[in-house]
């Protein structure tokens, strides 16, 4: 029986949201010893050494901050600044190092993307999130980015209170912390919040070939709707939804539930995929693509080719990096889905 994601209404407890804040499966086994710095890029070996040293500190039992530290919002002196911030392009190993740091640190600890963190705070509320996370030894935040003024103020307040409670931070991004938000809103209006965020971190630049310069993978030729439906019906635990039904349904769910929406699904199928021009719809699809990618779910796609999912104007705008990441991930999942297709499925692809 084919699953309809657009008919699912998952309920997610705060305990589940927190328990799922771990490195995704593709980074479950990475360690500092498996990181291979490029000998032509000395900043990679330097970052490895810095993170390894930080991990030695974070592996020790947590020291409660003194009253003076709490009043001043400072972490214990043995850690230096409360956060380490890895800046660099795609494909230079930032996430590998961040996940390795998480594996080495003592618990309780948390690993999430920036989007997952904002969704978590949105689901729990700021006060409850601070109460839950203040006891953590460290929080690792991948793909740190600020998309709007609300996120800027929310995360600034959250991290400020967590630092005051003695929580160590680690983050990755391809934007320096004092440049977060550029191109998306008038960052100057929120300079105080941005500067407060930047003050929490020691910045460590990691150089290397930028993944964006390699171009997107080739999008597979999309199928006709009936072919997608037939292929989904032949697979175990496959979902199949009309693209419009799915993105309308996503608008009615909190993004923190998108992972649970995929529970028990082994393949995702979408018919009549259309080019997007609405930023709100597009950003929800980005979150769903991330959750699919974390779970390595093959995609069967019908409609416009995936490399046409976002309009040209959107790919030039402030969310460009998000959209390019989503395209790369969706195309990879679609190529995986097509590779698993039977010969009979492939013979009827749309011309």
């Amino acid at each position: 029986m084919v699953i309809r994601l657009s008919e699912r209404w998952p309920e997610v407890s705060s305990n589940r949201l927190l328990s799922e804040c771990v490195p995704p499966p593709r980074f479950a086994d990475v360690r500092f010893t498996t990181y291979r710095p490029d000998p032509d890029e000395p900043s990679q070996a330097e970052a490895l050494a810095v993170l390894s040293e930080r991990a030695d500190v974070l592996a020790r039992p947590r020291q409660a901050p003194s009253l003076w530290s709490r009043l001043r919002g400072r972490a214990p002196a043995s850690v230096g600044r409360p956060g380490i911030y890895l800046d660099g392009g795609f494909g230079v190993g930032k996430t590998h190092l961040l996940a390795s740091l998480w594996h080495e640190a003592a618990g309780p600890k948390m690993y999430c993307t920036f989007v997952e963190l904002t969704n978590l705070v949105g689901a729990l509320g700021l006060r409850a999130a601070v109460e839950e996370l203040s006891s953590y030894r460290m929080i690792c935040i991948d793909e740190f980015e600020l998309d709007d003024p609300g996120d800027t103020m929310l995360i600034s307040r959250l991290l400020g209170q967590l630092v005051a409670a003695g929580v160590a931070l680690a983050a990755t991004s391809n934007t320096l912390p004092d440049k977060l938000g550029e191109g998306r809103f008038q960052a100057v209006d929120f300079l105080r919040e941005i500067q407060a965020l930047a003050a929490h971190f020691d910045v460590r630049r990691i150089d290397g070939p930028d993944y964006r310069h390699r171009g997107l993978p080739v999008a597979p030729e999309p199928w006709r709707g009936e072919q997608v439906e037939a292929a989904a019906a032949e697979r175990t635990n496959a979902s199949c939804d009309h693209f419009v039904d799915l993105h309308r349904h996503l608008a009615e769910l909190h993004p923190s539930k998108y992972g649970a929406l995929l529970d028990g699904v082994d393949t995702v199928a979408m018919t009549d995929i259309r080019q997007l021009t609405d930023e709100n719809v597009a950003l929800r699809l980005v979150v769903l693509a991330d959750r699919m990618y974390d779970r390595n779910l093959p995609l069967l796609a019908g409609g416009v080719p995936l490399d046409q999912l976002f309009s040209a104007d959107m790919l030039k705008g402030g969310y460009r990096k998000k959209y390019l990441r989503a395209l790369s991930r969706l195309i990879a999942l679609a190529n995986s889905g097509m590779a698993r297709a039977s010969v009979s499925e492939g013979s009827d692809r749309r011309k």
Side-chain angles (χ1 to χ4, degrees):
M1 179 177 178
V2 174
I3 300 166
R4 302 293 180 188
L5 298 181
S6 55
E7 297 176 358
R8 286 185 158 191
W9 297 91
E11 292 298 327
V12 183
S13 68
S14 59
N15 287 337
R16 172 171 175 172
L17 289 176
L18 291 168
S19 68
E20 291 180 341
C21 289
V22 298
R26 64 185 66 245
F27 291 102
D29 298 322
V30 301
R31 297 295 187 273
F32 289 127
T33 54
T34 63
Y35 182 73
R36 298 291 180 264
D38 185 338
D40 295 326
E41 301 291 348
S43 62
Q44 295 185 16
E46 293 168 3
L48 174 61
V50 170
L51 267 290
S52 297
E53 182 179 357
R54 182 66 61 105
D56 290 340
V57 175
L58 293 171
R60 305 169 193 164
R62 179 180 176 182
Q63 296 179 355
S66 66
L67 176 60
W68 178 249
S69 295
R70 291 196 299 271
L71 292 174
R72 299 279 295 190
R74 293 177 177 173
S78 60
V79 180
R81 282 196 180 188
I84 184 76
Y85 188 100
L86 301 179
D87 170 67
F90 296 109
V92 295
K94 301 188 306 295
T95 300
H96 186 134
L97 290 171
L98 185 71
S100 299
L101 179 65
W102 184 90
H103 286 301
E104 295 291 336
K109 54 191 175 180
M110 174 179 172
Y111 183 104
C112 60
T113 64
F114 181 81
V115 171
E116 288 173 326
L117 180 61
T118 56
N119 290 339
L120 176 67
V121 178
L124 300 181
L126 179 60
R127 178 179 296 181
V130 171
E131 291 177 355
E132 289 282 355
L133 301 179
S134 291
S135 62
Y136 278 45
R137 183 71 176 95
M138 81 166 306
I139 295 176
C140 294
I141 309 167
D142 200 16
E143 300 168 0
F144 202 106
E145 195 61 81
L146 297 178
D147 296 323
D148 57 53
D151 283 348
T152 307
M153 300 178 71
L154 179 69
I155 298 304
S156 177
R157 293 171 183 172
L158 173 71
L159 298 186
Q161 293 184 58
L162 295 180
V163 167
V167 180
L169 306 174
T172 72
S173 181
N174 52 15
T175 304
L176 290 170
D178 62 345
K179 302 295 184 182
L180 291 167
E182 285 190 349
R184 294 166 179 78
F185 56 88
Q186 293 299 315
V188 66
D189 295 337
F190 299 89
L191 187 58
R192 180 180 301 174
E193 284 77 12
I194 293 172
Q195 289 176 335
L197 282 170
H200 296 319
F201 295 100
D202 286 323
V203 178
R204 181 63 55 170
R205 174 74 187 181
I206 306 180
D207 296 312
D210 193 327
Y211 177 76
R212 292 170 296 179
H213 296 167
R214 303 173 200 168
L216 286 171
V218 177
E221 186 72 16
W223 288 356
R224 295 191 302 270
E226 60 269 24
Q227 292 173 307
V228 174
E229 292 173 353
E234 292 180 1
R235 303 196 182 194
T236 303
N237 299 325
S239 70
C240 186
D241 293 87
H242 189 281
F243 184 69
V244 174
D245 292 339
L246 181 57
H247 76 63
R248 286 177 176 171
H249 187 59
L250 294 179
E252 300 181 22
L253 292 177
H254 192 277
S256 64
K257 297 181 179 181
Y258 289 6
L261 188 68
L262 299 168
D263 282 355
V265 174
D266 294 332
T267 300
V268 174
M270 301 181 194
T271 62
D272 196 18
I273 293 174
R274 305 175 184 184
Q275 187 172 83
L276 299 175
T277 57
D278 186 310
E279 298 275 20
N280 292 319
V281 175
L283 290 172
R284 285 191 284 268
L285 261 294
V286 168
V287 177
L288 181 66
D290 287 341
R291 301 292 79 76
M292 291 169 56
Y293 188 74
D294 288 345
R295 291 160 176 76
N296 197 26
L297 299 180
L299 172 63
L300 302 176
V304 302
L306 287 171
D307 52 13
Q308 299 176 26
L309 178 60
F310 304 111
S311 69
D313 287 342
M314 297 173 79
L315 292 177
K316 297 176 183 176
Y319 298 109
R320 176 178 180 273
K321 286 181 283 189
K322 283 182 178 291
Y323 296 148
L324 289 176
R325 185 184 77 237
L327 286 178
S328 177
R329 292 181 170 185
L330 287 172
I331 291 172
L333 295 176
N335 282 327
S336 174
M338 296 302 185
R340 300 183 189 184
S342 67
V343 174
S344 60
E345 288 172 342
S347 64
D348 280 332
R349 288 187 186 182
R350 189 181 70 183
K351 296 182 180 179

